[in-house]
Amino acid sequence: MPDTKLLFHLSDIHFGLEDNRALDWVKAEIEERQPDAVAITGDLTMRARHREFAAATSWIKSLDVPVTVEVGNHDLPYFNPIERFFDPYKRIRAISDKVEQEIDLPGLAIVPLKTVRRWQPRFNWSKGWVTDAALERCLTSLDALPAGTQALVTVHHPLREVGTHGTALTKHGRKALNELAKRPVIAVLSGHVHDAFDIMEETVHGKIRMIGAGTLSQRVRSTPPSFNELSWNGEALNVEVRNLEHVDSSDMMIGDVPEDAMPPREPGEPVAPVGQVPRTDPPVH
Ligand SMILES: [Fe+2]
Ligand SMILES: [Fe+2]
């Protein structure tokens, strides 16, 4: 039986509207517990502003454990379409050694799968899209793992296709899940929803587990700021939703991925960012 691995799954920190009380607590937890790895599943900033990335990258660099970072839809240049198209990761370069990086632990790997695109042939660019190239990269990494190694795949958008073809939460998410289910993937770790969940998804190749982390920002959806503490003993993956309000994990988790995975629009949020449909009606939660 291998040693138990401790992993922290953080998401949607949204510097610019971060929750500093939650961040101070998480950082202290990381220093004290020394997890084997920290996976941050995207949306580091609110609007990909330089000052927001400076704060985000400085906080992430201060964590003295292995960290892998996914890019979220809020992390691509928002007000600068030229930079968004030609150099979308320019502002995140300070932590380029952690962005979309695989982490290999004995017997367990964390393998990234990119779900953001610099542009999309549809109106709403905040939703996910798994390109053939991104999926190929992920599958190649999974197939190269030593025999017996299991994997957690990290994404920003849950790999769920809901609604009609045109409004799918993550385009080609179904195809990705089908491929991942054929491989030794323990679970897909995601963000974007701002509430935690832990569900089993059916695919043509059997079930696959999808685990979402909540937010560490003030931009909460229906639960207080939280992160997921994962422990893997080689056979079972346990998820505890850690939060400052001491709410039980079961009460912190939503039952399913919502079709509209967008949290409420905060006061002052621009209504017509690059490539996105204006949001005029903040949902009521
Ligand atoms: Fe988010
Ligand atoms: Fe997001």
Side-chain angles (χ1 to χ4, degrees):
M1 177 81 67
D3 292 339
T4 296
K5 305 285 186 310
L6 177 66
L7 307 166
F8 283 5
H9 173 198
L10 283 47
S11 204
D12 295 77
I13 301 172
H14 285 291
F15 273 89
L17 211 61
E18 75 276 20
D19 184 322
N20 282 308
R21 182 169 162 249
L23 285 180
D24 290 349
W25 165 67
V26 175
K27 189 172 170 180
E29 284 285 321
I30 291 171
E31 281 167 9
E32 188 189 326
R33 304 283 306 287
Q34 292 287 304
D36 295 286
V38 171
I40 305 178
T41 49
D43 279 356
L44 305 182
T45 71
M46 270 311 297
R47 291 289 167 262
R49 296 181 179 99
H50 290 285
R51 63 176 180 275
E52 294 171 347
F53 271 124
T57 55
S58 149
W59 190 81
I60 290 167
K61 280 165 86 171
S62 75
L63 306 177
D64 195 20
V65 294
V67 179
T68 181
V69 173
E70 282 303 296
V71 173
N73 51 296
H74 280 256
D75 302 326
L76 296 180
Y78 213 73
F79 303 112
N80 185 337
I82 293 172
E83 186 179 316
R84 182 181 176 112
F85 194 81
F86 290 105
D87 201 356
Y89 286 13
K90 180 179 175 185
R91 302 180 188 199
I92 207 170
R93 228 164 250 160
I95 53 166
S96 57
D97 60 328
K98 303 182 194 325
V99 174
E100 295 166 355
Q101 293 298 311
E102 178 175 332
I103 293 180
D104 294 302
L105 304 170
L108 178 67
I110 302 176
V111 178
L113 170 59
K114 184 166 89 91
T115 61
V116 291
R117 286 189 76 178
R118 62 190 85 184
W119 71 280
Q120 298 186 19
R122 62 177 171 182
F123 287 116
N124 191 337
W125 292 7
S126 71
K127 295 183 175 183
W129 192 301
V130 179
T131 64
D132 286 346
L135 182 58
E136 194 56 44
R137 234 174 2 253
C138 174
L139 298 180
T140 301
S141 298
L142 289 172
D143 293 341
L145 294 175
T149 297
Q150 306 213 54
L152 294 164
V153 170
T154 46
V155 296
H156 177 60
H157 301 83
L159 298 178
R160 170 65 72 79
E161 289 196 32
V162 287
T164 66
H165 217 56
T167 61
L169 177 58
T170 302
K171 188 92 169 166
H172 304 311
R174 171 61 46 192
K175 178 181 172 187
L177 282 174
N178 288 340
E179 288 300 320
L180 297 180
K182 287 195 267 184
R183 291 166 170 86
V185 173
I186 305 162
V188 179
L189 309 182
S190 58
H192 189 63
V193 172
H194 289 215
D195 278 332
F197 58 84
D198 183 359
I199 58 181
M200 296 299 287
E201 185 78 0
E202 286 285 356
T203 80
V204 292
H205 299 295
K207 288 188 163 116
I208 190 159
R209 192 170 175 184
M210 303 201 312
I211 297 170
T215 182
L216 285 168
S217 74
Q218 301 171 47
R219 209 170 180 235
V220 292
R221 185 184 174 92
S222 65
T223 50
S226 68
F227 72 95
N228 288 351
E229 181 175 316
L230 311 179
S231 52
W232 167 248
N233 64 7
E235 290 178 355
L237 181 70
N238 185 63
V239 183
E240 186 184 345
V241 184
R242 303 284 313 277
N243 63 92
L244 278 168
E245 312 305 328
H246 307 294
V247 181
D248 286 345
S249 287
S250 54
D251 293 335
M252 286 290 294
M253 285 179 174
I254 55 174
D256 205 354
V257 179
E259 185 167 351
D260 173 11
M262 295 292 284
R265 185 166 62 87
E266 77 280 11
E269 178 180 356
V271 293
V274 174
Q276 293 192 0
V277 173
R279 298 179 61 200
T280 53
D281 54 338
V284 176
H285 291 282

